[in-house]
Amino acid sequence: MNLLIPMVTGPTVAFWLLAPIMVLAALGVVLSKKPVHGAMCLATVMISLAVQYAAQDAPFLFAVQIIVYTGAILMLFLFVLMLVGVDAADSLVETIKGQRPLAAIAGAAFVVLLVFAVGNGLVGQPVGLTAANEANGGNVPGIAALLFTRYVFAFEATSALLITAALGAMVLAHRERLTKKKRQPELVKERMRKYAETGQHPGPLPTPGVFARHNAVDTPALLPDGSVSELSVSETLKARGVVLDSYELSAPVEKTVKAIAADGSGADEEGRA
């Protein structure tokens, strides 16, 4: 029992707490039907990995994981998804022949690599970061020495790859304008022409709640004549069925109009009498 006490350290606790979360989030990346949900699961994996770096006394990798990968690259993924418009209903027809066998081979190779990595960590002698940090005067100088000496070519190649990815995202998001952009005078002329053809009011539509009993977004606007403007409520609220009944809103107005009309007709009868 005494032999197990020194092994329960901070990195060990952080690993066993975050490892299940990382595995579940990684499965979410693969199994999510919506790309945005997969990106959020990927963010969970990256943040958990950053905490693992911090627990292993690697502050530089912790900062890089949060700032570069989670804060920059993942946001680039999200921007591309939103700008390009990836939909869950995209075609599932394979356009690359033989990608399923290649994916199966890659998955099997990854499983073998994972087994060897876990086996080496459990059976072999673990090598911590303490000796590596002390040899170069700390974590940040040690990583800098490796990046700009031994792995300088890989570092520059990765930088070029990131720049290429950013330019590719800009190219995918760019839309060439086929028509000339309309200015304010042209928009006004088009609005008045539409009014002359269809009779639609050229001014802006009333916002939800205007001339109504309260200003909730699910309340249609009442026009000055007492009629209900169905165009003042979002189509999303209509689809959800949470819009208030327009007849309930116009009922007090109709009641007042009928009362005034009744009083007017009564006064006329009294005058005639």
Side-chain angles (χ1 to χ4, degrees):
M1 186 67 182
N2 295 331
L3 297 177
L4 297 177
I5 295 177
M7 298 180 61
V8 181
T9 59
T12 305
V13 175
F15 174 79
W16 289 111
L17 287 178
L18 295 177
I21 299 176
M22 296 175 66
V23 172
L24 294 177
L27 292 176
V29 174
V30 180
L31 301 178
S32 297
K33 295 182 179 180
K34 295 184 178 181
V36 177
H37 294 171
M40 298 306 297
C41 292
L42 182 60
T44 303
V45 175
M46 290 182 175
I47 294 175
S48 301
L49 185 59
V51 176
Q52 298 279 18
Y53 287 146
Q56 294 291 336
D57 294 332
F60 180 80
L61 294 179
F62 166 76
V64 169
Q65 185 71 25
I66 292 294
I67 298 173
V68 177
Y69 287 96
T70 307
I73 297 179
L74 185 61
M75 293 302 105
L76 179 63
F77 289 164
L78 290 176
F79 283 137
V80 171
L81 291 176
M82 291 185 292
L83 292 175
V84 176
V86 179
D87 193 4
D90 289 341
S91 176
L92 299 179
V93 178
E94 297 183 4
T95 57
I96 302 177
K97 295 182 179 180
Q99 62 178 347
R100 289 182 179 269
L102 293 177
I105 295 174
F110 178 76
V111 171
V112 172
L113 179 62
L114 185 62
V115 169
F116 277 102
V118 174
N120 188 26
L122 296 177
V123 179
Q125 295 294 330
V127 179
L129 294 176
T130 304
N133 293 338
E134 292 178 354
N136 296 281
N139 179 256
V140 177
I143 294 181
L146 291 176
L147 285 180
F148 295 104
T149 56
R150 184 177 179 181
Y151 300 104
V152 61
F153 179 76
F155 179 72
E156 295 298 334
T158 305
S159 303
L161 180 62
L162 294 177
I163 295 175
T164 305
L167 294 177
M170 294 174 60
V171 172
L172 291 175
H174 177 70
R175 294 292 183 270
E176 184 178 358
R177 185 179 295 275
L178 300 178
T179 58
K180 184 180 178 181
K181 184 178 181 180
K182 297 180 181 179
R183 298 186 302 171
Q184 187 67 23
E186 298 173 353
L187 294 175
V188 173
K189 292 180 180 179
E190 182 178 351
R191 185 182 303 173
M192 298 306 297
R193 188 182 305 110
K194 186 176 181 180
Y195 169 68
E197 295 175 355
T198 62
Q200 184 178 356
H201 194 275
L205 295 176
T207 57
V210 178
F211 299 111
R213 289 181 292 179
H214 56 84
N215 58 353
V217 295
D218 59 347
T219 305
L222 293 181
L223 299 178
D225 59 352
S227 61
V228 177
S229 176
E230 299 292 344
L231 299 177
S232 61
V233 182
S234 173
E235 295 294 336
T236 303
L237 297 179
K238 293 180 181 179
R240 294 178 180 176
V242 296
V243 181
L244 295 182
D245 189 3
S246 59
Y247 295 101
E248 296 181 359
L249 298 175
S250 58
V253 179
E254 295 178 357
K255 183 178 180 180
T256 303
V257 172
K258 291 180 179 179
I260 295 176
D263 293 341
S265 61
D268 293 340
E269 292 178 359
E270 291 179 359
R272 292 175 183 175

